[in-house]
Amino acid sequence: MPSALVFFNELSDVPSKAQRELLTLASRFDQSTLAVASEVSQDAQNVVANYGLSKLLVAPSQGDIFVDHALSVLEAAVKQSASDVVLVANDNFNREVAARMAVRLDGAVITDAIDVATDLVVTKDELAGSYSAQAQSTGGTLFVSVKPNSIDDDPQSSGQQLEVQNLAIQSATAAQVRVVATEAKAVSDRPKLTEARVVVAGGRGVNGDFGPVEDLADALAGAVGASRAATDAGWITHDAQIGQTGVTVSPQLFISAGISGAIQQKAGMQTSKCIVAINKDVDAPVFEIADFGIVGDLSKVLPQAAEEIRRR
Ligand code: FAD
């Protein structure tokens, strides 16, 4: 059976849901390895051990915020582990890592994967999830970026011993680039969008005011998402965008407010367990996939819902 290598740029004490999904996927293969381009705590190692991976390759961070350190670490890890498939997250950073690595090592890259079988047949979403395709590499190491919420997190091992090895890396940029300043982004108390059990998302219909959307999200301890129309308008940051060119979410409850339900938007949320749509247009396409629909003005419906939830 082929062997798999999972790559993380960093790994905190509590791995994210997307990281746990990748570890689950890797555990289906033989002799799977995890490579991390920064320090890994003992707590994190204990979690990784639950997935039955055999080896952990670590290269301490060099304070390098650029992709080159990740490339150096991954290249060394691929050569050392001789893995057949490399699994990474489907975000911009990791897609760049996968693509550059595939070019450097004369391998292949497949993005937007939702599954990788042990015969290395990759299932991937096409045209915003309208249909899925199966693809196979014809040669070289295969790099696959896997969409979050595609694999059920399912640790199978009872904490077997992980063999930990350090990779000695000198990243190419370390000598050429100096970080002169870093600015921390404001930290939100809300759960991460891709991991939240409840997501309240607003679209063009919020007309510049995300206040009611944020207030309902806070009443439900949920995360705030948005359509591309809302992020393009600058009403909310781009990392809130859900859809084909944004993030994929699959919460227990997705509340859509003032979003029409374009195919590119649905691609990022249609696997949500329960979808509630609020739209003043009874013919809005979002109602086709909604479990519950409210035809009404979101500026009235959202505050009423938040008030009722807080009252209970
Ligand atoms: P609109 O389509 O304008 O809909 C606004 C809705 O709000 C309407 O249905 C209206 O009836 C309703 N409304 C207005 N006022 C109110 C009110 N007061 N109360 C209740 N309802 C109200 N889009 C994404 O979202 N994510 C993506 O990742 C994405 N990727 C794309 C990739 C490509 C290649 C392309 C071509 C497009 C992509 N889009 C994406 C854009 C997508 O096609 C739509 O244009 C976009 O989703 C529309 O956003 P919207 O529903 O907020 O706006």
Side-chain angles (χ1 to χ4, degrees):
M1 191 197 287
S3 56
L5 172 71
V6 183
F7 173 74
F8 298 149
N9 195 43
E10 47 191 16
L11 179 63
S12 68
D13 291 356
V14 183
S16 69
K17 183 164 177 283
Q19 288 180 321
R20 286 183 272 119
E21 290 174 13
L22 283 177
L23 292 171
T24 301
L25 185 55
S27 68
R28 296 182 192 160
F29 293 85
D30 252 358
Q31 298 293 318
S32 298
T33 303
L34 168 65
V36 184
S38 52
E39 291 80 0
V40 179
S41 70
Q42 188 57 52
D43 283 350
Q45 289 182 27
N46 293 344
V47 177
V48 173
N50 288 327
Y51 289 82
L53 274 64
S54 48
K55 201 181 281 182
L56 170 64
L57 301 174
V58 183
S61 163
Q62 297 175 355
D64 182 349
I65 56 171
F66 303 99
V67 81
D68 299 67
H69 176 62
L71 287 173
S72 306
V73 174
L74 184 53
E75 183 172 4
V78 170
K79 286 179 176 161
Q80 179 162 334
S81 65
S83 299
D84 301 290
V85 60
V86 178
L87 307 170
V88 301
N90 199 47
D91 53 38
N92 290 342
F93 181 93
N94 281 291
R95 280 195 300 233
E96 179 180 343
V97 168
R100 289 176 63 174
M101 211 71 251
V103 171
R104 198 183 281 186
L105 300 179
D106 202 15
V109 62
I110 299 177
T111 58
D112 293 332
I114 53 173
D115 197 18
V116 184
T118 50
D119 58 359
L120 298 186
V121 173
V122 179
T123 307
K124 65 176 304 235
D125 273 346
E126 290 289 355
L127 286 180
S130 307
Y131 64 95
S132 63
Q134 293 195 314
Q136 207 165 12
S137 155
T138 51
T141 308
L142 174 60
F143 294 82
V144 185
S145 68
V146 184
K147 290 178 85 169
N149 299 313
S150 303
I151 309 287
D152 286 334
D153 174 27
D154 186 18
Q156 291 289 355
S157 161
S158 51
Q160 70 182 53
Q161 196 61 40
L162 251 191
E163 185 190 338
V164 184
Q165 284 181 18
N166 291 318
L167 289 170
I169 301 294
Q170 183 61 41
S171 85
T173 45
Q176 299 161 351
V177 178
R178 187 166 54 91
V179 178
V180 287
T182 55
E183 196 176 319
K185 284 207 286 186
V187 183
S188 163
D189 289 339
R190 297 192 184 107
K192 211 171 159 208
L193 186 54
T194 50
E195 300 185 5
R197 289 174 59 77
V198 177
V199 172
V200 186
R204 203 191 308 269
V206 308
N207 199 19
D209 180 10
F210 259 79
V213 173
E214 291 174 338
D215 191 45
L216 181 57
D218 290 341
L220 291 163
V224 173
S227 73
R228 182 157 138 185
T231 57
D232 280 354
W235 300 338
I236 187 164
T237 53
H238 276 281
D239 52 12
Q241 184 183 314
I242 294 167
Q244 182 185 347
T245 41
V247 297
T248 304
V249 299
S250 192
Q252 297 295 318
L253 172 63
F254 185 92
I255 301 178
S256 161
I259 297 176
S260 58
I263 186 169
Q264 298 90 354
Q265 199 273 331
K266 288 193 288 192
M269 46 66 77
Q270 59 196 355
T271 57
S272 303
K273 306 296 174 291
C274 177
I275 298 172
V276 178
I278 302 152
N279 197 302
K280 65 181 187 184
D281 175 8
V282 69
D283 294 322
V286 68
F287 288 129
E288 290 163 16
I289 57 159
D291 298 285
F292 299 95
I294 301 169
V295 180
D297 185 340
L298 68 89
S299 66
K300 296 198 175 74
V301 176
L302 293 184
Q304 283 174 14
E307 189 188 332
E308 183 62 24
I309 286 158
R310 288 206 171 92
R311 202 175 59 75
R312 288 181 181 209

